[in-house]
Amino acid sequence: MVTKVRSESVDVVVTGTIKTVSDTQAIKEAVLKAHTSHIDVPIRLFLQDSFIITSSLIGFLIKVIKMDHYALIVEVGSLELYEMLEDMNLIEIMNVRKASV
């Protein structure tokens, strides 16, 4: 996982498959740190490779977007993950986009 600070956003780039509790915890911590360090800059969470994500990560992302009002966009590189989130009606709720990178 890599965090890149840009003038228009803070990018949190996650490679590999997200499948363990520690994977999820690391992503949560990176998003929270990005928000705390750069409170006025949107966060873009890039899930480059993973075709699945844990339910606790989904819950966390919904919470920070809808309840805590983080400016956060989730970009997914896997069509399979995008379609799964679409089937769960989470595209709009979680600000999901197909990754352009």
Side-chain angles (χ1 to χ4, degrees):
M1 182 170 7
V2 176
T3 301
K4 300 175 186 175
V5 179
R6 308 174 118 177
S7 60
E8 71 278 358
S9 66
V10 176
D11 298 345
V12 178
V13 182
V14 180
T15 55
T17 303
I18 303 163
K19 56 186 171 186
T20 67
V21 173
S22 61
D23 294 338
T24 299
Q25 191 59 36
I27 295 167
K28 288 179 182 181
E29 289 171 7
V31 168
L32 292 173
K33 183 177 178 184
H35 179 72
T36 303
S37 302
H38 308 280
I39 200 157
D40 294 327
V41 180
I43 300 166
R44 293 191 319 169
L45 176 62
F46 290 100
L47 306 177
Q48 286 188 334
D49 307 316
S50 196
F51 59 94
I52 56 170
I53 58 175
T54 63
S55 59
S56 64
L57 182 57
I58 290 171
F60 168 78
L61 293 172
I62 291 170
K63 178 193 174 292
V64 297
I65 292 168
K66 294 300 178 188
M67 296 177 70
D68 299 337
H69 305 288
Y70 283 26
L72 184 123
I73 295 170
V74 179
E75 294 198 19
V76 297
S78 165
L79 182 59
E80 188 175 355
L81 177 57
Y82 184 88
E83 288 174 349
M84 181 192 76
L85 294 171
E86 188 173 44
D87 289 345
M88 297 171 70
N89 295 314
L90 293 173
I91 298 297
E92 187 176 321
I93 293 168
M94 290 175 41
N95 298 326
V96 177
R97 312 277 186 275
K98 292 178 184 174
S100 57
V101 256

